[in-house]
Amino acid sequence: MSYVDEVLERVKAKNGAEPEFIQAVTEVLNSLRFVIEKNEDHFRKEALLERITEPERIVTFRVPWVDDNGQVQVNRGFRVQFNSAIGPYKGGLRLHPSVNQSIIKFLGFEQCFKNSLTGLPIGGGKGGSDFDPKGKSDREVMAFCQSFMNELYRHIGANVDVPAGDIGVGAREIGFLYGQYKRLTGLYEGILTGKGLTYGGSLARTEATGYGLVYITNEVLKANGKSFEGARVNISGSGNVAIYACQKAQSFGAKVQTMSDSNGYIYDPDGIDLAIVKEIKEGRRGRIKEYVAAKPTATYTEGRGVWSIPCDVALPCATQNELFLEDAKALVANGVWAVCEGANMPTTLEATEYLQENGIPFMPGKAANAGGVAVSALEMSQNSERLSWTFEEVDAKLHDIMVGIFEKASSAAERYGVPGNYVAGANIAGFEKICTAMEAQGIV
Ligand code: NDP
């Protein structure tokens, strides 16, 4: 049996109850075969795949807090410190009822490769809780965040582990978490990114993931003789990533036709009016269906279906496993030019394979959505030098980083004889740097 298959079997046996983690490891290890099989004995002797698939540390903790009725609630908190070979652990915190160890481990594992691809000195981690901020008052969210930080603070630090936002964690939550860290430790240091601009945040961090997604998609389109100008773009989600992907795609001349939330999706044949979406989502934390009240020519459909609307570019920006095989088939049948992932692992393995078999350029999330963590790392740099850069400076650096990621993924794919396979290219390029650093640091 090949070394990759041996490790895959072991990971499946040891983590049987963690389907998302197994899915992520399967995708990555399968695409690393090109590298491993060239030097299998060495990788096996050094147990590099076992080491890279085992988190350095997982912390699980109780998060008690009191709701507005005086009732005590208890949630479960997680921080997975996956790999610190190339820098302090870095990765967001997710607050969503679906959060469990499998989801946090899959996200932490992906984060290692993503962070490596940025070229910046950051290792991989991820955290969160099954707390649902939806429908909670600001006081309840603050009570939860303070309790969460009462445990998390002992595991993080500006040179140790620097969390950020993710689903359910935006400016409000980061503010509450930061305030509690400062109160507990008395330290004013960059232990979180995505901070507000008045207390150490970076300009362009809010926009970074969505903008970065569009910058790298633009490279994919150029490499395939296409452009955003006049292209029909379908976006899923209507959160941070989706909103700023929409904004940048529109500024490149695209027509964005769809957005969604976990209840349903809107289709606007005139092109999404982003001011309306921002007012609903950022202004009053409402539902996407409210869009049609302001724009009656658009339609709202309950449930899934964004990918059934014919488009040229598909940008899944909601959550994991939201683009299935049937969706990939519809996209291909409708002549899609490219699929680039704004969310983490939104495309199932079967759907990814189908897109690739049909020659659709596919940029995986670990490359396509790396703009967020890249600007987080730039926020860390600004905090260290106690300076703030302009929006234009940060945006220009973000643009260069995304073009660099595209080049790394496409040149690694070419080097290993699979040109245009950005999944393999991104995994290989990310893996090579981590592996070299791990080997240099010995068996630790
Ligand atoms: P937000 O919480 O701002 O938005 C998430 C969006 O996805 C919302 O519209 C939400 O709808 C929708 N959504 C969430 N869960 C589901 C579900 N189960 N089914 C359908 N829709 C769902 O999160 P972000 O925009 O920050 O994150 C989106 C994705 O991008 C995630 O995969 C995240 O890990 C990834 N990402 C984010 C980065 C960032 O900088 N923010 C960086 C890199 C990756 P609803 O309101 O109904 O829940």
Side-chain angles (χ1 to χ4, degrees):
M1 192 187 285
S2 77
Y3 176 44
V4 167
D5 289 321
E6 271 171 37
V7 176
L8 270 177
E9 288 219 339
R10 224 169 290 154
V11 168
K12 284 177 190 162
K14 271 177 127 175
N15 305 278
E18 298 182 348
E20 292 85 2
F21 178 59
I22 290 172
Q23 182 182 344
V25 171
T26 304
E27 185 235 71
V28 170
L29 295 202
N30 272 333
S31 66
L32 291 178
R33 285 178 197 276
F34 304 106
V35 183
I36 305 296
E37 282 165 11
K38 283 203 156 89
N39 204 354
E40 205 177 61
D41 291 345
H42 170 75
F43 285 111
R44 185 186 273 116
K45 181 156 185 288
E46 292 293 321
L48 274 160
L49 293 183
E50 287 89 336
R51 284 155 70 189
I52 214 160
T53 52
E54 189 67 38
E56 288 176 19
R57 188 173 302 103
I58 301 179
V59 188
T60 310
F61 49 97
R62 180 176 68 203
V63 191
W65 55 281
V66 182
D67 72 17
D68 285 347
N69 298 319
Q71 173 66 47
V72 176
Q73 302 284 346
V74 179
N75 288 99
R76 182 173 289 175
F78 297 93
R79 186 70 186 165
V80 176
Q81 298 181 329
F82 220 107
N83 193 303
S84 62
I86 62 174
Y89 310 104
K90 182 92 198 85
L93 297 172
R94 175 175 291 191
L95 297 183
H96 193 273
S98 64
V99 163
N100 56 35
Q101 185 162 302
S102 172
I103 288 184
I104 297 299
K105 276 175 70 181
F106 117 66
L107 290 164
F109 181 67
E110 292 278 299
Q111 194 80 44
C112 301
F113 299 88
K114 180 187 307 192
N115 294 2
S116 169
L117 276 172
T118 64
L120 301 167
I122 38 178
K126 198 81 191 186
S129 172
D130 56 2
F131 172 79
D132 187 358
K134 235 179 266 162
K136 303 286 191 303
S137 68
D138 286 352
R139 195 210 60 80
E140 288 175 320
V141 171
M142 181 169 74
F144 170 83
C145 289
Q146 291 179 339
S147 179
F148 187 82
M149 187 52 85
N150 284 347
E151 175 60 32
L152 187 71
Y153 87 97
R154 41 184 119 242
H155 308 290
I156 62 176
N159 293 305
V160 179
D161 183 353
V162 185
D166 189 70
I167 290 180
V169 178
R172 174 181 62 172
E173 291 76 17
I174 293 287
F176 293 149
L177 290 163
Y178 191 73
Q180 186 69 358
Y181 178 87
K182 191 160 59 70
R183 180 154 201 210
L184 288 166
T185 62
L187 295 171
Y188 204 105
E189 54 180 14
I191 48 85
L192 286 170
T193 57
K195 298 186 291 300
L197 294 176
T198 52
Y199 61 97
S202 173
L203 285 161
R205 174 60 188 91
T206 306
E207 295 82 356
T209 310
Y211 278 22
L213 169 65
V214 171
Y215 292 148
I216 200 166
T217 305
N218 198 35
E219 297 304 306
V220 173
L221 294 178
K222 277 198 287 186
N224 290 278
K226 307 278 192 202
S227 109
F228 266 118
E229 187 61 49
R232 297 164 305 160
V233 176
N234 285 10
I235 292 180
S236 61
S238 50
N240 172 265
V241 180
I243 285 175
Y244 293 96
C246 177
Q247 187 173 86
K248 187 51 79 176
Q250 289 178 335
S251 79
F252 281 5
K255 181 164 86 171
V256 178
Q257 310 184 119
T258 65
M259 291 184 95
S260 66
D261 62 20
S262 48
N263 294 108
Y265 70 95
I266 51 167
Y267 166 51
D268 189 337
D270 304 332
I272 296 285
D273 184 334
L274 195 58
I276 301 174
V277 176
K278 280 183 152 188
E279 199 274 314
I280 297 168
K281 288 291 173 182
E282 296 184 337
R284 55 191 153 95
R285 298 176 192 271
R287 308 307 300 160
I288 200 69
K289 70 174 168 205
E290 295 161 33
Y291 182 90
V292 292
K295 193 83 189 297
T297 49
T299 54
Y300 171 74
T301 308
E302 195 78 16
R304 304 181 66 255
V306 163
W307 315 119
S308 63
I309 309 279
C311 66
D312 303 313
V313 179
L315 303 177
C317 296
T319 191
Q320 67 275 357
N321 292 332
E322 50 147 323
L323 197 160
F324 300 115
L325 180 58
E326 80 222 38
D327 302 315
K329 286 184 177 167
L331 287 167
V332 171
N334 289 326
V336 74
W337 299 340
V339 178
C340 300
E341 297 184 321
N344 284 310
M345 208 169 73
T347 315
T348 63
L349 281 175
E350 299 74 29
T352 305
E353 278 162 20
Y354 186 83
L355 292 168
Q356 290 180 314
E357 281 159 17
N358 283 276
I360 308 300
F362 175 84
M363 189 56 83
K366 66 174 72 67
N369 68 33
V373 75
V375 171
S376 276
L378 300 180
E379 182 175 328
M380 289 165 69
S381 303
Q382 293 169 78
N383 292 164
S384 297
E385 60 177 22
R386 302 201 189 283
L387 289 173
S388 300
W389 305 339
T390 65
F391 188 97
E392 290 69 26
E393 275 177 276
V394 178
D395 190 32
K397 285 185 169 50
L398 168 65
H399 179 265
D400 290 351
I401 289 168
M402 297 314 294
V403 172
I405 292 174
F406 173 79
E407 281 163 2
K408 279 179 211 157
S410 53
S411 70
E414 266 175 39
R415 236 181 317 126
Y416 283 91
V418 281
N421 183 340
Y422 303 127
V423 173
N427 286 332
I428 292 168
F431 175 75
E432 282 178 337
K433 181 176 175 186
I434 299 172
C435 251
T436 309
M438 283 174 75
E439 291 202 79
Q441 293 171 35
I443 312 299
V444 290

